[in-house]
């Protein structure tokens, strides 16, 4: 082979090699395809564990029966059970600050006001001669009993239903308001009773409340649990539930916040409200009963009711309290 | 053949290295029938030539690919870092929006205009970043689309909270609590998923950089060893100590191997250092900043919820622990200054002075606001420095990587050609 031919041949081979190499390189990828990021799994909502079934306590007679009131307030003020409060000069009352109409803050005056607050102020009036000697301590529903037991508050005025079980832990005054479970629906609804609600209607109440449990009597309705009654109102406003059930006082508070809702139907449960007191302080219970009797007698109860609850719930009269209790079981 | 040898010697008189050696005559030139394959020297020489070409060409290809892939992986790691920083910033912006909204709720209709504007700008920043992040990294698009819906629903719920609050309706507080809860419960897991996905992408790219380096070394070593062994055999067989072609090929293999390999090692080490150092610190600081804003939200929500706020105070404590664990020591003092004022405000509320606590929490010139802002500004400046370090470290390097790739390919091709020529010259002596 001639040298020139060899060189040309080599050049051709070299060029061919280079071309193949470049092609091979171009054919190889450089990676970089990413799998799409996976959406996180939504955790399955575990239903809240129901409270273990306890044998209900039995009470003799009327569960709302309270201890006899003092015959007059002056004698009550001197009773030993009230000595600490009188000395302190202030009555500490556990209340709610976001239950409209019962106990809620008025931003204009910064005061907490409502029907329950009026009841507490009536006790202060009877004890100190002035309704302003109360210290309102905002508490949760769960704190009501523990704070009474450890002395954190003297009274609880926080839509506290009188039950036999609670009588085993604390004491109650006589009934100062007889509430009952009713239903809140949009104004566009034609229902006038809970039984009028369409089959499959979603009805909201706080999880674990007696109101939600009471829906068991109406199997056509779908119970929906929420963290609080205000969340039920949020769900109703968003169209995610069709009705709300609860104490008529609470429902009145919700209706006051939304003009497109109304409270309907007869009460289908009895929820007697009492002021909570420490179980061992019967003197205070008797004094509170006397104070509430005066509140009813001088028209204070009616004025409070007309101001707060009458607009949503209609006319009302004070309940007649029952007395004669001798101990926690009756 | 005899006639050609003098011609060749005459044609290349300047060749210094090749000393004329006695003609090899150990093995016969042609293979008689029935003998083993590769018994003859020319056949072995041809094999050597082929092997030399294959290993050098192969090395050239592998080296070029290694440089290309390193460059691409580096770019992707850089893009991944930018995406990661974007995701962290979305987290911070959403937390900042929530902190502002919950604090403004405490003053209802008396909310200062500056605070309203701060909330809106935080939300704007967050939603802008969500869109940019989805464009920058399409693999994140599904999660970011879901995050977008969460942000939209959040802002709607906050507006309902404000509207109800302005009319002193207690249901407004419920809307506010629901909005905050949706941010933590819905946006939180999405942001976590994005953070961990991008972190593992960066890790994978840096891992690929390390692997490419190893592949380069292996291929280069193979080629060098093959050429060396071939040279040795050739020297022994042809009794010429050096074959220029093979030597040149060996050099052309060793240069990219040693030079490029060392450079790649340097690149890999720097990237690893950035990942373990500046990048990790940036993520920690960003999460601390988001936790600080979350604490501020919980602080306001405790006051909004009044007696029912115990859970929010517990969440504040959790956030405080997270912040202290993540920030460097020089920011500890700034946080504790804020935490002390927070404890004082909590004490006021717990003793029933809710209104005084609320005033302290909403006063823009009050101690609570000023200590928090001081902490946040210090944290932000540290965070921005580290974030800058992290992103510049990866971008700064390596424009030479693609060039090195092409050069290695050329070197491989040239080495192949030279090796072929070098062995070919010896082969010609058998013709």
């Amino acid at each position: 082979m001639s040298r020139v031919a060899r060189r040309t041949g080599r050049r051709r081979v070299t060029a061919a090699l280079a071309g193949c190499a470049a092609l091979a390189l171009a054919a190889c990828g450089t990676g970089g395809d990413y799998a799409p990021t996976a959406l996180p799994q939504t955790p399955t909502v575990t239903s809240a564990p129901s409270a273990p079934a306890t044998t209900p306590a039995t009470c003799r007679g009327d569960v709302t029966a309270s201890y006899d009131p003092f015959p007059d307030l002056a004698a009550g003020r001197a009773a030993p059970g009230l000595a600490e409060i009188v000395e302190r000069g202030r009555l500490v009352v556990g209340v709610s600050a976001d239950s409209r109409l019962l106990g809620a803050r008025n931003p204009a005056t910064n005061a907490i006001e409502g029907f329950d607050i009026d009841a507490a102020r009536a006790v202060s009036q009877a004890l100190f001669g002035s309704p302003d000697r109360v210290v309102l301590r905002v508490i949760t529903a769960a704190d009501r009993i523990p704070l009474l037991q450890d002395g954190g508050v003297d009274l609880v005025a926080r839509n506290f239903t009188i039950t036999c079980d609670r009588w085993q832990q604390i004491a109650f005054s006589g009934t100062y308001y007889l509430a009952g479970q009713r239903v809140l629906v949009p104004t566009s609804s034609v229902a006038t009773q809970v039984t009028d609600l369409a089959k499959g209607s979603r009805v909201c109440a706080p999880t674990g409340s007696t109101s939600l449990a009471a829906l068991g009597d109406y199997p056509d309705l779908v119970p929906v649990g929420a963290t609080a009654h205000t969340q039920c109102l949020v769900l109703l406003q968003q169209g995610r539930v069709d009705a709300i059930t609860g104490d008529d006082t609470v429902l009145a508070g919700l209706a006051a916040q939304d003009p497109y809702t109304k409270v309907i139907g007869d009460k289908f449960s009895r929820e007697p409200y009492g002021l909570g007191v420490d179980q061992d302080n019967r003197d205070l219970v008797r004094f509170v009963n006397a104070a509430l009797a005066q509140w009813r007698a001088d028209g204070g109860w009616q004025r409070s009711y007309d101001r707060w609850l009458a607009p949503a719930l209609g006319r009302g009269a004070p309940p007649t309290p029952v007395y004669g209790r001798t101990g926690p079981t009756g | 053949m005899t006639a050609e040898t003098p011609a060749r010697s005459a044609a290349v008189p300047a060749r210094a290295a090749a000393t004329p050696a006695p003609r090899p005559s150990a093995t016969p030139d042609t293979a008689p029938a029935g003998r083993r394959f590769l018994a003859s020297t020319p056949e072995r020489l041809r094999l050597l030539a082929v092997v030399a070409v294959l290993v050098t060409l192969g090395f050239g290809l592998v080296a070029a690919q290694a440089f290309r892939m390193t460059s691409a992986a580096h770019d992707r790691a850089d893009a991944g870092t930018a995406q990661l920083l974007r995701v962290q910033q979305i987290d911070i912006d959403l937390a900042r929006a929530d902190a502002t909204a919950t604090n403004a709720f405490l003053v209802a209709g008396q909310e200062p205009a500056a605070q309203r504007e701060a909330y809106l700008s935080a939300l704007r920043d967050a939603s802008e970043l969500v869109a940019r992040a989805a464009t920058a990294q399409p693999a994140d698009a599904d999660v970011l689309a879901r995050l977008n819906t969460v942000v939209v629903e959040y802002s709607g719920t906050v507006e309902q909270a404000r509207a109800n609050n302005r009319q002193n309706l207690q249901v407004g507080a419920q809307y506010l609590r629901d909005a905050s809860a949706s941010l933590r419960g819905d946006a939180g897991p999405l942001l976590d998923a994005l953070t961990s996905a991008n972190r593992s992408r960066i890790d994978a790219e840096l891992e690929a950089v390390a692997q490419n380096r190893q592949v380069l070394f292996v291929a280069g070593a193979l080629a060098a060893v093959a050429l060396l062994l071939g040279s040795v055999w050739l020297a022994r067989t042809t009794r010429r100590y050096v074959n220029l072609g093979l030597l040149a090929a060996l050099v052309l293999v060793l240069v990219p191997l040693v030079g490029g390999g060392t450079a790649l090692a340097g690149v890999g080490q720097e990237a690893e250092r950035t990942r373990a150092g500046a990048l990790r610190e940036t993520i920690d600081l960003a999460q601390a900043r988001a936790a600080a804003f979350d604490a501020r939200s919980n602080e306001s929500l405790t006051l909004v919820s009044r007696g029912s706020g115990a859970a929010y105070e517990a969440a504040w404590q959790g956030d405080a622990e997270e912040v202290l664990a993540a920030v460097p020591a020089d920011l500890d003092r700034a946080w504790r200054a804020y935490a002390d004022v927070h404890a004082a405000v909590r004490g006021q509320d717990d003793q029933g002075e809710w209104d005084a606590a609320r005033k302290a929490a909403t006063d823009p010139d009050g101690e609570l606001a000023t200590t928090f802002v001081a902490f946040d500004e210090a944290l932000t400046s540290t965070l921005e420095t580290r974030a800058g370090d992290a992103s510049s470290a990866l971008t700064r390097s390596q424009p030479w990587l693609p060039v090195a790739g092409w050069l290695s390919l050329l070197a491989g091709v040239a080495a192949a050609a030279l090796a072929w020529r070098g062995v070919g010259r010896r082969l010609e002596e058998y013709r």
Side-chain angles (χ1 to χ4, degrees):
Chain A
M1 212 191 297
S2 76
R3 198 182 345 120
V4 171
R6 263 204 311 278
R7 209 175 293 151
T8 320
R10 269 194 224 114
R11 283 204 195 113
R12 283 205 198 109
V13 169
T14 315
L17 283 176
C20 286
L23 272 175
L25 206 57
C28 293
T30 49
D33 290 324
Y34 292 129
T37 315
L39 285 164
Q41 297 298 321
T42 42
T44 47
V45 178
T46 48
S47 51
S50 51
T54 48
T55 44
T58 44
C59 296
R60 290 190 306 273
D62 191 340
V63 72
T64 65
S66 181
Y67 301 111
D68 295 335
F70 284 121
D72 68 87
L73 293 171
R77 268 181 232 121
L82 276 75
E84 192 190 326
I85 300 171
V86 170
E87 199 188 310
R88 197 194 304 139
R90 290 265 185 275
L91 185 68
V92 180
V93 184
V95 298
S96 167
D98 52 19
S99 307
R100 200 169 180 86
L101 305 179
L102 292 176
R105 195 178 135 256
N106 180 343
T109 60
N110 246 351
I112 304 178
E113 32 181 56
F115 187 76
D116 283 343
I117 310 301
D118 286 350
R121 287 165 66 85
V123 176
S124 162
Q125 169 81 41
L127 187 55
F128 297 115
S130 159
D132 300 324
R133 301 278 277 272
V134 283
V135 172
L136 297 176
R137 186 173 160 175
V138 179
I139 62 173
T140 66
D143 289 337
R144 290 178 297 194
I145 293 179
L147 281 175
L148 282 172
Q149 288 175 327
D150 67 23
V153 295
D154 301 320
L155 288 184
V156 167
R158 200 193 186 285
N159 54 322
F160 212 171
T161 308
I162 302 170
T163 67
C164 180
D165 286 335
R166 288 176 180 158
W167 265 113
Q168 312 314 311
Q169 298 170 289
I170 56 163
F172 285 102
S173 70
T175 310
Y176 70 91
Y177 182 77
L178 186 61
Q181 194 168 344
R182 291 173 76 181
V183 179
L184 181 87
V185 293
T187 43
S188 56
S189 168
V190 298
T192 52
Q193 295 291 339
V194 65
T195 42
D196 290 344
L197 290 173
K199 187 175 159 75
S201 293
R202 298 158 300 178
V203 183
C204 182
T207 314
S209 64
T210 49
S211 311
L212 195 65
L215 287 177
D217 293 339
Y218 304 94
D220 281 349
L221 304 177
V222 176
V224 176
T227 53
H229 269 112
T230 42
Q231 189 165 58
C232 283
L233 184 60
V234 168
L235 293 174
L236 188 73
Q237 290 178 336
Q238 292 174 335
R240 286 155 69 179
V241 296
D242 305 308
I244 305 175
T245 186
D247 292 354
D248 58 353
T249 47
V250 173
L251 296 182
L254 297 181
Q257 297 183 57
D258 189 339
Y260 291 95
T261 57
K262 60 184 178 185
V263 182
I264 58 162
D266 303 323
K267 299 178 193 177
F268 56 90
S269 74
R270 273 184 89 236
E271 312 285 338
Y273 286 174
L275 296 179
V277 185
D278 182 21
Q279 193 175 49
D280 302 324
N281 198 342
R282 294 195 195 182
D283 287 341
L284 184 54
V285 179
R286 299 182 67 195
F287 184 86
V288 168
N289 284 334
L292 290 177
Q294 182 179 305
W295 188 44
R296 278 188 293 272
D298 65 18
W301 190 100
Q302 195 62 55
R303 281 193 294 277
S304 284
Y305 180 85
D306 290 340
R307 178 182 177 195
W308 298 112
L309 298 175
L313 302 181
R315 284 153 49 102
T320 312
V322 177
Y323 302 120
R325 181 172 288 267
T326 50
T329 48
Chain B
M1 206 182 292
T2 326
E4 288 180 348
T5 316
R8 204 183 64 217
S9 313
V12 285
R15 279 273 154 88
T19 48
R23 271 202 32 206
S25 55
T27 42
D29 295 339
T30 52
R35 270 190 69 251
R36 290 173 17 241
F37 181 58
L38 284 189
S40 69
T41 312
E43 281 172 354
R44 288 185 187 161
L45 281 175
R46 279 189 210 104
L47 179 67
L48 173 63
V50 166
V51 166
V53 163
L54 284 176
V55 295
T56 48
L57 207 56
F59 169 72
L61 278 172
V62 166
Q65 183 67 348
F67 282 115
R68 266 180 87 218
M69 292 198 69
T70 302
S71 170
H74 219 75
D75 287 343
R76 283 195 299 270
D78 180 42
T81 306
Q83 183 74 342
L84 195 55
L85 295 179
R86 252 178 240 118
V87 169
Q88 298 299 311
Q89 190 58 40
I90 294 172
D91 193 5
I92 290 171
D93 287 336
L94 289 176
R96 187 161 55 100
D98 196 46
T100 316
T102 50
N103 193 260
F105 191 88
L106 289 168
V107 287
Q110 293 160 337
E111 171 188 36
Q115 202 172 25
R116 174 71 177 157
E117 191 46 45
Y119 164 75
L120 288 175
S121 87
L123 216 53
R124 258 183 238 130
D125 291 346
S127 45
E128 231 182 276
L129 273 176
V130 167
R132 288 193 199 288
T135 320
Q137 179 53 274
D140 285 341
D142 290 343
V143 177
L144 284 165
R146 179 74 66 83
L147 185 62
N148 195 34
T149 64
V150 171
V151 172
V152 166
E153 285 173 15
Y154 168 79
S155 78
T157 312
V158 165
E159 292 310 312
Q160 283 184 296
R162 286 184 75 239
N164 278 295
N165 196 28
R166 207 177 173 89
Q167 299 186 61
N168 298 321
L169 301 180
Q170 286 73 26
V171 71
Q174 187 62 43
Y175 276 106
L176 188 74
R177 282 191 287 266
D178 283 356
S180 264
S182 86
L183 214 54
R184 287 184 192 94
D186 297 334
L190 293 170
L191 289 163
D192 287 343
L194 288 168
T195 304
S196 73
N198 279 290
R199 277 185 106 156
S200 39
R201 281 180 202 132
I202 295 173
D203 288 349
E205 296 303 341
L206 295 183
E207 185 62 34
V209 167
Q211 278 174 0
N212 285 330
R213 198 166 64 240
Q214 284 161 9
V215 164
L216 177 73
F217 279 129
V218 164
L222 261 174
V225 162
L227 288 174
L228 208 56
L229 288 177
S231 301
V232 166
W233 176 83
L234 196 59
R236 220 183 292 145
T237 315
T238 61
R239 306 253 161 78
R240 288 195 180 86
Y241 294 119
V242 174
N243 182 296
L244 269 187
L246 284 182
L247 181 67
L250 187 62
V251 165
L252 280 174
V253 162
L254 285 177
V255 162
L257 173 63
V258 171
T262 325
L264 278 187
V267 162
Q269 270 173 13
E270 166 122 19
E272 183 54 41
R273 218 183 6 248
T274 308
R275 184 179 67 135
L279 187 61
R280 193 185 48 78
E281 281 170 34
T282 305
I283 295 170
D284 287 345
L285 288 171
Q287 289 179 342
R289 194 167 177 221
F293 282 121
D294 197 53
R296 211 60 178 115
S297 281
N298 281 317
E299 179 181 76
S300 297
L301 284 170
T302 314
L303 287 169
V304 167
S305 303
R306 214 145 167 187
S308 320
Y312 294 111
E313 175 58 20
W316 187 97
Q317 297 292 341
D319 285 330
E321 279 172 23
E322 200 182 320
V323 169
L324 281 172
V327 294
D330 53 335
L331 288 171
D332 262 6
R333 211 155 44 93
W335 175 263
R336 287 187 208 281
Y338 158 72
D340 289 341
V341 182
H342 167 88
V345 169
R346 277 277 90 237
Q348 274 183 312
D349 187 21
D350 290 340
Q351 282 161 22
E353 294 163 43
W354 181 85
D355 207 43
R358 186 183 63 106
K359 285 206 180 76
T362 51
D363 183 2
D365 302 319
E367 274 203 321
L368 198 63
T370 46
T371 48
F372 183 82
V373 166
F375 166 77
D376 186 52
E377 282 176 356
L379 179 57
T380 307
S381 78
T382 312
L383 171 60
E384 280 171 0
T385 315
R386 293 316 270 147
D389 290 344
S391 51
S392 69
L394 284 171
T395 43
R396 151 176 76 227
S397 49
Q398 330 340 337
W400 56 265
L401 278 169
V403 173
W406 285 113
L407 285 178
S408 335
L409 183 63
L410 282 174
V413 169
L418 286 169
W420 180 264
R421 182 174 169 166
V423 177
R425 306 205 108 207
R426 296 289 86 81
L427 200 55
E428 282 162 9
E429 293 166 5
Y430 289 82
R431 296 214 180 106

